[in-house]
């Protein structure tokens, strides 16, 4: 048995299909982790539609779907996840209630109401349970240990750390760095991880732009991602949640610059698999 990671959507904010985004992909956030005998899915951006297509024709599909938060680019693909409509499949959904108390079930239900969508959440007969997580709650699924920590993002978000048979992967998306220090919650999730998947939406130049500053928008830069990787002693860094305006050539440049500072940096173009 192995630990596998496949990236079905690596973009933030809005899908960006087209000839200049083919290599990195244009779908919004969705990551699949096959850990031992369990399948964990993180977020349901438009990438989850492609994940669902890959499961087409399989019966008795089981997975745990974890949401970092319920902003549009992390839930917009959920109504198109066709395996969830099939009786006999088994999907369990997890998320932290929003600051105003709305559960992840309520948020997903809301986006599938008229006039947004033609059929309601209740038609998804493959969804067997919803679970409300508490901020900072630790979870165990089979022999997988999940640690959670809050992230610095408008409306709040959750980061996850998965540990299985000595392998640790941290998933930290939609978080904004602090100007004077590294985020203690981010470091706790990333510490000594084999793989760190982390928000690298902007460049420092974009983030601190005097005319269109991104300060307060809830996202970090690839330069800050490298600082976290160096401080946490991680083994491999994967830059994630790319800005939709960054085409393949821009991301190639960012990747090469990041490698100069942290050689064990890679893109999410290909799946990752434990040795």
């Amino acid at each position: 048995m192995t630990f596998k990671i496949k990236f079905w959507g690596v973009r933030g904010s809005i899908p960006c299909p087209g000839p200049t985004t083919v290599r990195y992909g244009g779908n919004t956030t969705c990551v699949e982790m096959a850990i031992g005998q369990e399948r964990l899915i993180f977020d349901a951006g438009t990438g989850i539609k492609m994940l669902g297509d890959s499961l087409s024709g399989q019966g008795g599909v089981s997975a745990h779907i974890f949401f970092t938060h319920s902003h549009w680019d992390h839930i917009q693909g959920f109504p198109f996840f066709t395996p969830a409509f099939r009786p006999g499949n088994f999907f369990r959904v997890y998320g932290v209630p929003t600051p105003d108390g709305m559960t992840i079930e309520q948020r997903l239900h809301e986006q599938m109401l008229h006039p947004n969508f033609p059929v309601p959440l209740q038609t998804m007969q493959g969804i067997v349970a919803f679970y409300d997580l508490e901020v900072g709650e630790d979870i165990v699924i089979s022999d997988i240990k999940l640690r959670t920590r809050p992230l610095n993002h408008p409306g709040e978000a959750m980061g996850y750390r998965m540990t299985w048979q000595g392998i640790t992967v941290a998933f930290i998306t939609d978080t904004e760095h602090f100007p004077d220090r590294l985020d203690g919650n981010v470091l706790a999730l990333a510490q000594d991880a084999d793989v760190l998947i982390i928000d690298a939406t902007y460049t420092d130049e974009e983030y601190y732009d005097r005319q269109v500053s991104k300060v307060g928008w809830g996202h970090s830069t690839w330069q800050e991602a490298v600082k976290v990787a160096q401080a946490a002693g991680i083994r491999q860094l994967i830059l994630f949640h790319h800005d939709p305006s960054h085409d393949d050539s821009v991301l190639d440049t960012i990747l090469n610059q990041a490698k100069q500072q942290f050689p064990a940096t890679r893109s999410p173009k290909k799946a990752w698999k434990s040795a």
Side-chain angles (χ1 to χ4, degrees):
M1 293 189 293
T2 58
F3 195 134
K4 301 177 183 178
I5 307 172
K6 187 163 185 177
F7 298 90
W8 295 96
V10 302
R11 298 286 176 171
S13 301
I14 190 171
C16 51
T20 64
T21 59
V22 171
R23 285 189 285 109
Y24 288 84
N27 282 310
T28 55
T29 303
C30 181
V31 177
E32 177 189 16
M33 299 189 191
I35 310 175
Q37 296 181 339
E38 299 286 354
R39 176 183 284 111
L40 277 58
I41 300 169
F42 292 88
D43 284 334
T46 57
I48 201 171
K49 196 271 183 189
M50 304 300 293
L51 168 56
D53 290 348
S54 75
L55 301 174
S56 178
Q58 298 183 31
V61 178
S62 175
H64 304 267
I65 304 175
F66 289 89
F67 285 90
T68 57
H69 62 309
S70 56
H71 281 168
W72 180 233
D73 52 331
H74 295 256
I75 67 171
Q76 63 193 153
F78 188 77
F80 302 92
F81 184 51
T82 54
F85 289 90
R86 297 191 180 109
N89 289 340
F90 302 88
F91 296 102
R92 296 168 176 82
V93 180
Y94 307 75
V96 175
T98 60
D100 62 0
M102 289 192 71
T103 66
I104 190 60
E105 181 177 9
Q106 290 172 319
R107 288 291 289 113
L108 295 173
H109 172 71
E110 184 180 70
Q111 80 161 342
M112 293 179 70
L113 291 176
H114 292 295
N116 299 324
F117 201 71
V119 295
L121 179 66
Q122 288 78 7
T123 60
M124 288 183 150
Q125 297 182 55
I127 304 293
V128 298
F130 287 89
Y131 299 92
D132 295 330
L133 302 177
E134 296 183 5
V135 175
E137 179 181 355
D138 292 343
I139 313 153
V140 177
I141 295 175
S142 298
D143 54 348
I144 307 164
K145 296 180 180 179
L146 291 89
R147 180 187 300 177
T148 67
R149 291 291 184 274
L151 301 176
N152 183 33
H153 190 66
E156 300 183 354
M158 183 80 86
Y160 293 90
R161 174 186 174 97
M162 285 62 63
T163 299
W164 173 80
Q165 294 191 2
I167 302 168
T168 295
V169 173
F171 182 61
I172 305 171
T173 189
D174 288 56
T175 190
E176 185 165 1
H177 59 276
F178 295 114
D180 58 344
R181 68 190 188 280
L182 295 177
D183 188 329
N185 287 316
V186 169
L187 287 175
L189 292 171
Q191 191 64 47
D192 300 320
D194 294 278
V195 178
L196 169 61
I197 306 163
I198 189 167
D199 186 340
T201 301
Y202 305 120
T203 65
D204 276 353
E205 292 75 19
E206 292 168 330
Y207 184 78
Y208 294 108
D209 187 287
R210 292 186 178 182
Q211 292 185 326
V212 190
S213 169
K214 302 301 190 299
V215 175
W217 287 34
H219 297 287
S220 193
T221 70
W222 70 262
Q223 289 94 335
E224 292 294 328
V226 166
K227 291 178 184 178
V228 172
Q230 293 170 333
I234 64 101
R235 293 169 181 80
Q236 190 164 95
L237 171 64
I238 299 180
L239 304 178
F240 190 73
H241 201 273
H242 297 299
D243 188 280
S245 68
H246 290 172
D247 62 19
D248 289 337
S249 62
V250 171
L251 294 183
D252 284 342
T253 299
I254 289 173
L255 178 61
N256 290 332
Q257 291 175 335
K259 283 183 175 180
Q260 292 176 18
Q261 298 184 29
F262 193 82
T265 304
R266 54 157 289 177
S267 78
K269 290 186 294 184
K270 296 182 180 180
W272 179 90
K273 181 180 179 180
S274 62

